[in-house]
């Protein structure tokens, strides 16, 4: 019996190795590392591990064991080492929404600053655990009470759960600031990727709530600001850059918005956008609003494919302001608090940040812009990952800390 078991284990190991090498054949042979990346070998190894993780996740999904996103989150959560003894961490529930509270252990003679944090992950990845160290570091270094929101995710849950969970948790926190020792005049909303998009939308929604403390500032780290104009220069230039390829981004968008992937080409070509909508909002969505240095010399103006009524009916919620903070009316934008915007040169979403920066500044909102030439999407969460940390990861984290401390 023992020899048989050993034989099976060897066979499984050989099979796993063979499948893994087959999975990695493309990143091993065809992957081009952007010249601006610091530590290219480290970047390449991380990319290979990511490809391997995704593919094994799809294998498990096909076998009916677990979904690919759940497998990826499981591994990511296990790689997070929580070791900050200077911060008191408490897991809570606001109704059905899991949240995690981070408070500096040192005593304070006055109420502290508050931070609302919404994690990234494209609505299918990310968790309270995977962003634990980001939140712990922010709380300690800025001497703030930080609330991280564990919103529900796709593929089990769809639009608008990310927004509603973050909004409801934020409202509850804002109503009970005194219980957590938070100064109501110093609450900052902070988010990364889709969490940054949630910051933009929720800050707009809360403007009308006179019964709540107003948000002091918004911190948006390479945020998702819209999914309407997918022909921006950064989409074309960075569509194959890890760790947010065009394919992965469309998978995340369609999964969250419950759009069948068969409509992907129509979305990319703009066939689902009514012409009257484009004519009204082009002044905010067009690449004409980008600084010249971010526009290719041979860049052609956005050209929409012929309008497809069926595509519009299946995808029309991408046109809702709840999914596109960029298209809010001027009177809303003009009332927003000051913003700290982070953009990364090697990020497909780079131009989203630039368009929102222009939109805010045109309405007189103060914007502090931090652009990272060697930055890529998702790099923030790597800031403490030792071998897999990059200079851009630490630089963004330090920039966010310094901005919040300066408020």
């Amino acid at each position: 019996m023992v020899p048989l078991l050993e034989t099976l284990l060897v066979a499984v190991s050989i099979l796993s190795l063979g499948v893994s090498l087959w999975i990695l054949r493309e990143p091993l042979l065809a992957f081009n590392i952007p010249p601006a990346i610091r530590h290219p070998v480290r970047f390449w190894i991380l990319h290979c591990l990511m490809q391997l993780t995704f593919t094994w996740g799809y294998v498990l999904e096909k076998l009916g064991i677990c979904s690919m996103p759940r497998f990826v989150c499981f591994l990511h959560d296990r790689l997070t080492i929580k070791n900050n003894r200077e911060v008191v961490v408490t897991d809570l529930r606001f109704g059905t929404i899991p949240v995690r509270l981070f408070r500096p252990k040192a005593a304070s003679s006055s109420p502290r600053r508050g931070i609302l944090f919404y994690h990234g992950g494209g609505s299918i990845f990310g968790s309270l655990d995977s962003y634990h160290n980001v939140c712990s570091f922010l709380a300690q270094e800025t001497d703030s009470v930080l609330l991280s929101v564990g919103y529900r995710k796709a593929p089990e849950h769809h639009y608008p759960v990310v927004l509603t969970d973050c909004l409801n948790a934020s409202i509850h926190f804002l109503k009970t600031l005194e219980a957590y020792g938070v100064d109501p005049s110093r609450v900052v909303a902070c988010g990364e990727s889709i969490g940054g998009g949630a910051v933009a939308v929720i800050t707009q929604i809360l403007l009308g709530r006179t019964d709540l403390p107003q948000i002091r500032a918004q911190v948006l780290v390479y945020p998702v600001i819209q999914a309407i104009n997918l022909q921006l220069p950064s989409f074309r230039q960075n569509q194959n850059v890890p760790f947010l390829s065009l394919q992965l981004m469309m998978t995340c968008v369609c999964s969250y918005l419950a759009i069948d992937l068969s409509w992907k080409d129509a979305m990319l070509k703009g066939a689902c956008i009514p012409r009257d909508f484009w004519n009204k909002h082009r002044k905010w969505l067009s690449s004409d609003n980008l600084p010249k240095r971010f526009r290719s010399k041979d860049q052609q103006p956005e050209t929409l494919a012929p309008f497809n009524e069926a595509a519009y009916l299946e995808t029309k919620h991408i046109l809702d302001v709840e999914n596109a903070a960029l298209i809010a009316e001027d009177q809303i934008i003009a009332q927003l608090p000051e913003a700290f915007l982070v953009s990364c040169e090697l990020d497909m979403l780079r131009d989203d940040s630039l368009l929102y920066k222009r939109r805010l500044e045109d309405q007189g909102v103060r914007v502090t812009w931090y652009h990272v030439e060697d930055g890529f999407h998702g790099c923030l969460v790597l800031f403490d990952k030792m071998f897999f940390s990059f200079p851009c990861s630490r630089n963004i984290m330090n920039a966010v800390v310094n901005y919040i401390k300066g408020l």
Side-chain angles (χ1 to χ4, degrees), residues 1-16:
M1 188 67 180
V2 173
L4 177 60
L5 181 60
E6 291 178 348
T7 302
L8 287 173
L9 288 174
V10 170
V12 170
S13 299
I14 293 173
L15 178 62
S16 298

Side-chain angles (χ1 to χ4, degrees), residues 190-394:
C190 177
E192 183 222 35
S193 188
I194 190 173
V199 166
V201 174
I202 288 172
T203 306
Q204 293 179 7
I205 292 173
L206 292 179
L207 286 174
R209 292 294 298 264
T210 56
D211 59 322
L212 297 174
Q214 291 298 297
I215 300 297
R216 170 67 178 83
Q218 48 183 328
V219 176
L220 307 98
V221 180
Y222 39 81
V224 181
I225 294 297
Q226 57 89 36
I228 301 169
N229 182 2
L230 303 180
Q231 299 181 33
L232 293 166
S234 62
F235 280 83
R236 299 175 178 178
Q237 296 163 8
N238 297 320
Q239 62 181 295
N240 295 315
V241 175
F243 294 88
L244 182 66
S245 65
L246 179 63
Q247 178 62 37
L248 178 58
M249 187 203 74
M250 293 307 296
T251 298
C252 292
V253 169
C254 291
S255 179
Y256 177 57
L257 297 179
I259 297 171
D260 193 279
L261 269 172
S262 62
W263 298 109
K264 179 182 74 171
D265 287 344
M267 295 169 68
L268 292 172
K269 296 175 181 178
C272 54
I273 305 173
R275 294 305 174 266
D276 57 345
F277 179 93
W278 177 252
N279 292 335
K280 176 182 178 181
H281 297 96
R282 177 176 179 167
K283 58 185 176 181
W284 302 326
L285 291 163
S286 171
S287 59
D288 293 341
N289 292 312
L290 297 173
K292 287 185 178 180
R293 60 169 286 205
F294 295 103
R295 284 182 269 163
S296 303
K297 293 181 180 179
D298 57 349
Q299 176 73 36
Q300 298 298 316
E302 290 87 351
T303 303
L304 303 186
F307 180 63
N308 183 327
E309 186 78 37
Y312 164 72
L313 292 173
E314 292 292 330
T315 65
K316 60 183 179 180
H317 37 308
I318 67 171
L319 308 178
D320 295 343
V321 70
E322 290 84 1
N323 290 317
L326 184 64
I327 64 171
E329 295 299 327
D330 286 346
Q331 60 266 33
I332 296 294
I333 298 292
Q335 299 178 66
L336 291 172
E338 66 174 273
F340 182 76
L341 266 168
V342 176
S343 58
C344 291
E345 181 64 28
L346 304 174
D347 181 8
M348 201 162 53
L349 300 181
R350 178 198 69 202
D351 294 345
D352 276 25
S353 295
L354 301 179
L355 289 177
Y356 202 51
K357 172 179 179 290
R358 171 72 180 270
R359 191 78 220 283
L360 292 170
E361 290 176 335
D362 283 352
Q363 293 302 315
V365 178
R366 180 184 175 187
V367 178
T368 302
W369 176 45
Y370 186 71
H371 185 66
V372 190
E373 293 289 344
D374 61 336
F376 52 92
H377 198 87
C379 63
L380 176 68
V381 77
L382 300 172
F383 85 102
D384 68 332
K385 296 298 186 287
M386 296 176 287
F387 176 77
F388 290 119
S389 181
F390 292 80
C392 59
S393 309
R394 296 185 292 271

